[in-house]
Amino acid sequence: MIEARRLHILRAVADHRTVTAAAAALYLTPSAVSQQLTALEQETGHRLVERGAKGVRLTPAGEILLSHTNAVLAQLERAEAELAAYGSGEAGTVTVASFATGIALVVAPAVARLAGTAPGIRIRVQDAEGDASLPMVLDRQVDVAVAVEYRGAPPADDPRLTHVPLYAEPFDAVVPVAHRLADADEVPLAELAKDTWIGPYPGNPCHDVVVLACESAGFQPRLEHSSDDFRAVVALASADAGVALVPRSALRGMDLTGVVVRPVDGVAPTRRVFAAVRRGAEGHPLIRPVLDALESAAER
């Protein structure tokens, strides 16, 4: 008989690629993870993982078991949801991880809405970028992630997750007031090919949006200044340190002295935001109202 907790460990190892990283995500010791993998191999009668200099990879047998693992764990999430519904599920805590602008735009309004519609649900919010929040959901550290599509992100049909689209917003060009394109109605990205750029660090989903937009315009941006805080990005642009692309919602209420904000000429780079939960958990009586509140906040 295969134990479900060992399937959790197998998936964590497949996601994190090393025993040490999987152990940290699951709050276990590396030796405990290794012991559980060995026990799982004994239960199945197959070698499931191979260890190498660059980490751990699944064997063909491990890949087969992983494909069933995603289905089994999703079904267990559904079972927990139905049992919670049977027991009313009207009170409890839901943890939501989101990037800062997402907290302001949809998470905080959702918290306010739930205070009136589902007062028994307590929301705990954690600030985390999308590339961090999705692994947190998979590792059961949080219940809901508000994240951004990015290169390398789990796709919408990932068997481990259920995606709920929330909103999409364009990036605007931010240039110093003395910039040669400051008077333009729209800014062609190709005209910024030789400029110094300011942007988020690699790994931040917005970094991918900026780089891909510039690549589509025919150049690699010369990113000399890096910050994940868009207030810092705009402040650097106002100091004539470079140009930037910033999500439109991040500019709301910001001090724009010293910069000019213009839409991008042509197809603007876009940040697509979604909520994600472990597949099967979307019907949980605590999580479903949170997803509904996030969708309602996004519509407004």
Short mmCIF file of all heavy atoms in Angstrom, two decimals, residues 101 169-174 230-231 233-234 245-256 259-262 271:
data_model
loop_
_atom_site.label_atom_id
_atom_site.label_comp_id
_atom_site.label_asym_id
_atom_site.label_seq_id
_atom_site.Cartn_x
_atom_site.Cartn_y
_atom_site.Cartn_z
N THR A 101 1.45 44.61 -5.30
CA THR A 101 0.38 45.31 -6.01
C THR A 101 -0.89 44.46 -6.02
O THR A 101 -2.01 44.98 -5.94
CB THR A 101 0.80 45.63 -7.44
OG1 THR A 101 2.08 46.26 -7.43
CG2 THR A 101 -0.21 46.56 -8.11
N GLU A 169 -3.10 43.68 -17.04
CA GLU A 169 -2.84 45.12 -17.12
C GLU A 169 -1.58 45.37 -17.94
O GLU A 169 -0.64 44.57 -17.92
CB GLU A 169 -2.68 45.71 -15.72
CG GLU A 169 -1.50 45.14 -14.95
CD GLU A 169 -1.25 45.90 -13.66
OE1 GLU A 169 -1.54 47.09 -13.63
OE2 GLU A 169 -0.78 45.27 -12.69
N PRO A 170 -1.55 46.50 -18.66
CA PRO A 170 -0.38 46.82 -19.48
C PRO A 170 0.75 47.41 -18.65
O PRO A 170 0.54 47.93 -17.55
CB PRO A 170 -0.92 47.85 -20.47
CG PRO A 170 -2.00 48.55 -19.69
CD PRO A 170 -2.63 47.49 -18.82
N PHE A 171 1.96 47.32 -19.18
CA PHE A 171 3.10 48.05 -18.65
C PHE A 171 3.21 49.37 -19.42
O PHE A 171 3.03 49.40 -20.64
CB PHE A 171 4.39 47.26 -18.85
CG PHE A 171 4.62 46.16 -17.86
CD1 PHE A 171 3.72 45.10 -17.74
CD2 PHE A 171 5.73 46.15 -17.05
CE1 PHE A 171 3.93 44.07 -16.85
CE2 PHE A 171 5.96 45.13 -16.14
CZ PHE A 171 5.05 44.09 -16.04
N ASP A 172 3.51 50.45 -18.71
CA ASP A 172 3.76 51.74 -19.34
C ASP A 172 5.24 52.06 -19.31
O ASP A 172 5.98 51.59 -18.42
CB ASP A 172 2.98 52.85 -18.62
CG ASP A 172 1.48 52.76 -18.87
OD1 ASP A 172 1.10 52.37 -19.99
OD2 ASP A 172 0.71 53.08 -17.95
N ALA A 173 5.68 52.86 -20.27
CA ALA A 173 7.07 53.32 -20.29
C ALA A 173 7.22 54.49 -19.32
O ALA A 173 6.39 55.40 -19.28
CB ALA A 173 7.47 53.75 -21.69
N VAL A 174 8.27 54.44 -18.52
CA VAL A 174 8.60 55.52 -17.58
C VAL A 174 9.96 56.06 -17.97
O VAL A 174 10.96 55.33 -17.94
CB VAL A 174 8.62 55.02 -16.12
CG1 VAL A 174 9.01 56.15 -15.17
CG2 VAL A 174 7.25 54.45 -15.74
N PHE A 230 8.81 48.99 -7.26
CA PHE A 230 8.61 49.92 -8.37
C PHE A 230 8.73 51.38 -7.95
O PHE A 230 9.01 52.24 -8.78
CB PHE A 230 7.27 49.64 -9.06
CG PHE A 230 7.29 48.40 -9.89
CD1 PHE A 230 6.49 47.31 -9.57
CD2 PHE A 230 8.12 48.29 -11.00
CE1 PHE A 230 6.51 46.15 -10.34
CE2 PHE A 230 8.15 47.15 -11.78
CZ PHE A 230 7.35 46.07 -11.45
N ARG A 231 8.54 51.67 -6.68
CA ARG A 231 8.79 53.04 -6.22
C ARG A 231 10.26 53.38 -6.38
O ARG A 231 10.61 54.51 -6.77
CB ARG A 231 8.36 53.19 -4.76
CG ARG A 231 6.86 53.14 -4.54
CD ARG A 231 6.53 53.07 -3.07
NE ARG A 231 7.08 51.85 -2.47
CZ ARG A 231 6.94 51.52 -1.20
NH1 ARG A 231 6.29 52.33 -0.37
NH2 ARG A 231 7.46 50.40 -0.72
N VAL A 233 12.24 51.96 -8.61
CA VAL A 233 12.47 52.03 -10.05
C VAL A 233 12.13 53.42 -10.57
O VAL A 233 12.89 54.04 -11.32
CB VAL A 233 11.65 50.95 -10.78
CG1 VAL A 233 11.69 51.16 -12.30
CG2 VAL A 233 12.17 49.55 -10.43
N VAL A 234 10.96 53.93 -10.17
CA VAL A 234 10.53 55.26 -10.62
C VAL A 234 11.45 56.34 -10.07
O VAL A 234 11.79 57.31 -10.76
CB VAL A 234 9.07 55.51 -10.22
CG1 VAL A 234 8.66 56.96 -10.48
CG2 VAL A 234 8.14 54.57 -11.00
N LEU A 245 9.95 49.94 -17.68
CA LEU A 245 8.57 49.53 -17.93
C LEU A 245 7.96 49.15 -16.59
O LEU A 245 8.53 48.33 -15.86
CB LEU A 245 8.50 48.36 -18.90
CG LEU A 245 8.84 48.62 -20.36
CD1 LEU A 245 8.88 47.31 -21.14
CD2 LEU A 245 7.83 49.57 -20.99
N VAL A 246 6.81 49.73 -16.27
CA VAL A 246 6.20 49.52 -14.95
C VAL A 246 4.72 49.18 -15.14
O VAL A 246 4.03 49.82 -15.94
CB VAL A 246 6.33 50.79 -14.08
CG1 VAL A 246 5.63 50.61 -12.74
CG2 VAL A 246 7.80 51.12 -13.86
N PRO A 247 4.20 48.16 -14.43
CA PRO A 247 2.77 47.87 -14.52
C PRO A 247 1.93 49.09 -14.15
O PRO A 247 2.26 49.81 -13.20
CB PRO A 247 2.57 46.75 -13.49
CG PRO A 247 3.92 46.15 -13.30
CD PRO A 247 4.90 47.27 -13.49
N ARG A 248 0.88 49.32 -14.89
CA ARG A 248 0.10 50.55 -14.72
C ARG A 248 -0.44 50.70 -13.30
O ARG A 248 -0.42 51.79 -12.74
CB ARG A 248 -1.04 50.56 -15.74
CG ARG A 248 -1.83 51.86 -15.79
CD ARG A 248 -2.70 51.91 -17.03
NE ARG A 248 -1.90 52.02 -18.25
CZ ARG A 248 -2.39 51.91 -19.48
NH1 ARG A 248 -3.70 51.68 -19.65
NH2 ARG A 248 -1.60 52.03 -20.53
N SER A 249 -0.90 49.61 -12.72
CA SER A 249 -1.48 49.71 -11.37
C SER A 249 -0.43 50.08 -10.33
O SER A 249 -0.74 50.70 -9.31
CB SER A 249 -2.16 48.40 -10.98
OG SER A 249 -1.21 47.35 -10.88
N ALA A 250 0.84 49.71 -10.57
CA ALA A 250 1.90 50.02 -9.61
C ALA A 250 2.19 51.51 -9.57
O ALA A 250 2.79 52.00 -8.60
CB ALA A 250 3.16 49.24 -9.96
N LEU A 251 1.77 52.24 -10.59
CA LEU A 251 2.03 53.68 -10.66
C LEU A 251 0.98 54.51 -9.92
O LEU A 251 1.18 55.70 -9.69
CB LEU A 251 2.10 54.13 -12.12
CG LEU A 251 3.27 53.54 -12.94
CD1 LEU A 251 3.06 53.80 -14.42
CD2 LEU A 251 4.59 54.14 -12.47
N ARG A 252 -0.14 53.87 -9.54
CA ARG A 252 -1.22 54.61 -8.90
C ARG A 252 -0.77 55.16 -7.56
O ARG A 252 -0.23 54.45 -6.72
CB ARG A 252 -2.43 53.71 -8.70
CG ARG A 252 -3.08 53.25 -9.99
CD ARG A 252 -4.24 52.31 -9.70
NE ARG A 252 -4.82 51.77 -10.94
CZ ARG A 252 -5.73 50.80 -10.97
NH1 ARG A 252 -6.17 50.29 -9.83
NH2 ARG A 252 -6.20 50.36 -12.11
N GLY A 253 -1.00 56.45 -7.36
CA GLY A 253 -0.66 57.07 -6.08
C GLY A 253 0.82 57.29 -5.86
O GLY A 253 1.23 57.69 -4.77
N MET A 254 1.64 57.04 -6.89
CA MET A 254 3.07 57.18 -6.73
C MET A 254 3.52 58.60 -7.08
O MET A 254 2.91 59.26 -7.92
CB MET A 254 3.78 56.16 -7.65
CG MET A 254 5.25 55.96 -7.34
SD MET A 254 6.03 54.75 -8.46
CE MET A 254 5.19 53.24 -7.98
N ASP A 255 4.58 59.06 -6.43
CA ASP A 255 5.16 60.36 -6.77
C ASP A 255 5.87 60.25 -8.12
O ASP A 255 6.88 59.55 -8.24
CB ASP A 255 6.15 60.77 -5.68
CG ASP A 255 6.78 62.14 -5.96
OD1 ASP A 255 6.36 62.81 -6.93
OD2 ASP A 255 7.68 62.54 -5.19
N LEU A 256 5.34 60.92 -9.12
CA LEU A 256 5.89 60.83 -10.47
C LEU A 256 6.67 62.09 -10.85
O LEU A 256 6.92 62.33 -12.04
CB LEU A 256 4.76 60.57 -11.48
CG LEU A 256 3.96 59.28 -11.25
CD1 LEU A 256 2.81 59.17 -12.24
CD2 LEU A 256 4.87 58.06 -11.34
N VAL A 259 9.51 62.30 -13.80
CA VAL A 259 9.37 61.30 -14.85
C VAL A 259 8.13 61.60 -15.69
O VAL A 259 7.25 62.35 -15.29
CB VAL A 259 9.26 59.86 -14.29
CG1 VAL A 259 10.50 59.48 -13.53
CG2 VAL A 259 8.01 59.71 -13.43
N VAL A 260 8.09 60.98 -16.84
CA VAL A 260 6.92 61.03 -17.72
C VAL A 260 6.48 59.59 -17.96
O VAL A 260 7.32 58.71 -18.22
CB VAL A 260 7.26 61.72 -19.06
CG1 VAL A 260 6.10 61.58 -20.04
CG2 VAL A 260 7.59 63.18 -18.83
N VAL A 261 5.20 59.34 -17.85
CA VAL A 261 4.64 58.01 -18.08
C VAL A 261 3.88 58.01 -19.40
O VAL A 261 3.00 58.86 -19.60
CB VAL A 261 3.70 57.59 -16.93
CG1 VAL A 261 3.10 56.22 -17.20
CG2 VAL A 261 4.46 57.60 -15.61
N ARG A 262 4.22 57.10 -20.27
CA ARG A 262 3.59 57.04 -21.58
C ARG A 262 3.23 55.59 -21.91
O ARG A 262 3.97 54.67 -21.56
CB ARG A 262 4.53 57.57 -22.67
CG ARG A 262 4.84 59.06 -22.55
CD ARG A 262 3.62 59.90 -22.92
NE ARG A 262 3.91 61.33 -22.90
CZ ARG A 262 3.70 62.12 -21.88
NH1 ARG A 262 3.18 61.63 -20.76
NH2 ARG A 262 3.98 63.41 -21.94
N ARG A 271 0.90 42.25 -17.94
CA ARG A 271 1.00 41.38 -16.77
C ARG A 271 -0.34 40.70 -16.56
O ARG A 271 -1.36 41.36 -16.36
CB ARG A 271 1.38 42.22 -15.53
CG ARG A 271 1.35 41.43 -14.24
CD ARG A 271 2.15 42.07 -13.14
NE ARG A 271 1.52 43.24 -12.54
CZ ARG A 271 1.96 43.86 -11.45
NH1 ARG A 271 3.06 43.42 -10.85
NH2 ARG A 271 1.33 44.92 -10.97
#
